[in-house]
């Protein structure tokens, strides 16, 4: 979760403040906040479903896996790619008295999944018992991705609402947009990346030794008969 200190928010939004001009600047801030324009943060997520691929062999899937060892067979693999798009525009107006400016941005963040790819080793035919067991396991990975994307969206939306609360940004003339862009790059993009990485940590928990052993014993040991004992 993000915690913004009062000092950070003050420095970002009131870059022209000086102790000697506090009253004058307070008037400027009041005028800025009193405008009809407000800061908006629009957070969206989009999923594109999943596709099943049964054309790649288990040895080839090993080269695609991030956690298998050389020489192992990977009988099933779920791969996901996400993209995050961050854009903003909005209303900008100048304050001639102080030389500052106000900016009411409309921030749009789109977090998107490409189609999730579910690979089942080509050694296993779609009508086989082992194929169905492997697919069932991989679909747990798919569900974990699908269920957690809305959670990431909710976290980002909640934290942005706390951070901006509709208030316009203000600072030195010609600098406020750059200040916002810097914040998006150094705070919000890394935050989204961190939340998505948490999903990957949860994915690893699904591939426990107990789960792998369960798959190996399924269907009267069909997986072991086809590939032997070293697989993921």
């Amino acid at each position: 979760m993000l915690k913004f200190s009062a000092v950070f928010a003050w420095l970002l939004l009131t870059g022209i403040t000086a102790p000697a001009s506090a009253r004058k600047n307070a008037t400027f801030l009041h005028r800025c906040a009193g405008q009809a324009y407000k800061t908006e943060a629009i957070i969206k997520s989009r999923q594109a479903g999943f596709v099943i691929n049964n054309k790649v062999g288990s040895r080839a899937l090993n080269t695609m896996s991030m956690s298998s060892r050389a020489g192992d067979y990977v009988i099933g693999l779920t791969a996901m790619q996400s993209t995050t798009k961050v854009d903003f525009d909005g209303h900008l107006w100048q304050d001639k008295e102080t030389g500052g400016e106000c900016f009411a941005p409309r921030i749009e963040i789109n977090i998107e999944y490409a189609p999730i790819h579910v690979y089942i080793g080509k050694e296993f035919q779609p009508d086989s018992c082992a194929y169905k067991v492997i697919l069932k396991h991989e679909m747990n990975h798919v569900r974990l991705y699908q269920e957690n994307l809305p959670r990431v969206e909710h976290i980002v939306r909640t934290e942005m609402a706390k951070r901006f609360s509709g208030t316009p940004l203000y600072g030195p003339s010609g600098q406020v947009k750059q200040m916002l862009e810097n914040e998006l790059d150094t705070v919000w993009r890394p935050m989204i990346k961190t939340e998505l990485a948490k999903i990957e940590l949860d994915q690893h928990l699904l591939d426990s030794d107990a789960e792998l052993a369960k798959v190996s014993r399924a269907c009267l040991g069909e997986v072991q008969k086809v590939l032997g004992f070293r697989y993921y």
Side-chain angles (χ1 to χ4, degrees):
M1 302 293 285
L2 289 178
K3 295 182 178 179
F4 294 97
S5 69
V7 174
F8 175 80
W10 182 254
L11 289 176
L12 173 64
L13 300 182
T14 61
I16 61 172
T17 302
S21 59
R23 181 177 300 178
K24 181 178 181 181
N25 196 60
T27 303
F28 162 52
L29 302 185
H30 179 75
R31 289 197 301 271
C32 186
Q35 296 292 324
Y37 302 119
K38 304 297 181 184
T39 295
E40 295 182 79
I42 301 171
I43 318 300
K44 298 179 181 179
S45 64
R46 185 177 69 86
Q47 305 188 40
F50 65 91
V51 294
I52 299 174
N53 187 320
N54 187 219
K55 298 180 180 180
V56 183
S58 296
R59 284 193 177 276
L61 289 178
N62 181 30
T63 65
M64 299 167 59
S65 173
M66 300 294 291
S67 58
S68 60
R69 297 169 295 180
D72 287 338
Y73 295 94
V74 174
I75 60 177
L77 179 68
T78 299
M80 187 280 294
Q81 289 186 334
S82 65
T83 58
T84 300
K85 300 177 182 178
V86 181
D87 296 298
F88 69 86
D89 58 12
H91 298 278
L92 181 72
W93 62 99
Q94 304 295 320
D95 188 82
K96 296 181 179 180
E97 183 177 347
T98 61
E101 66 183 9
C102 299
F103 183 43
R106 187 178 190 271
I107 304 167
E108 292 191 28
I109 297 180
N110 290 279
I111 309 169
E112 301 181 358
Y113 280 173
I116 300 171
H117 287 263
V118 179
Y119 296 92
I120 310 295
K122 68 178 182 180
E123 297 86 353
F124 304 95
Q125 297 303 309
D127 60 350
S128 69
C129 177
Y131 177 97
K132 295 175 183 177
V133 170
I134 297 167
L135 177 60
K136 181 179 179 180
H137 170 81
E138 295 305 321
M139 288 305 298
N140 289 331
H141 289 290
V142 172
R143 279 191 290 272
L144 190 59
Y145 281 127
Q146 293 177 332
E147 291 171 359
N148 275 276
L149 184 58
R151 178 189 63 82
V152 175
E153 177 187 342
H154 174 73
I155 289 173
V156 177
R157 180 181 295 109
T158 300
E159 293 301 320
M160 277 215 151
K162 292 178 183 178
R163 166 66 180 88
F164 295 106
S165 64
T167 305
L169 311 183
Y170 33 85
S173 181
Q175 298 184 29
V176 177
K177 284 188 176 182
Q178 185 61 53
M179 294 162 72
L180 175 59
E181 187 169 341
N182 290 343
E183 180 180 339
L184 292 172
D185 288 342
T186 61
V187 176
W188 296 101
R189 287 183 184 276
M191 175 197 174
I192 295 169
K193 184 176 181 180
T194 297
E195 292 300 327
L196 291 172
K198 291 178 182 178
I199 303 176
E200 297 302 326
L201 294 176
D202 291 338
Q203 295 286 6
H204 288 299
L205 298 178
L206 294 178
D207 292 327
S208 65
D209 291 341
E211 176 65 13
L212 295 178
K214 177 181 177 182
V215 173
S216 72
R217 292 192 297 267
C219 307
L220 300 177
E222 184 177 328
V223 173
Q224 293 179 351
K225 292 176 183 178
V226 174
L227 297 178
F229 290 89
R230 292 189 65 189
Y231 66 89
Y232 281 80

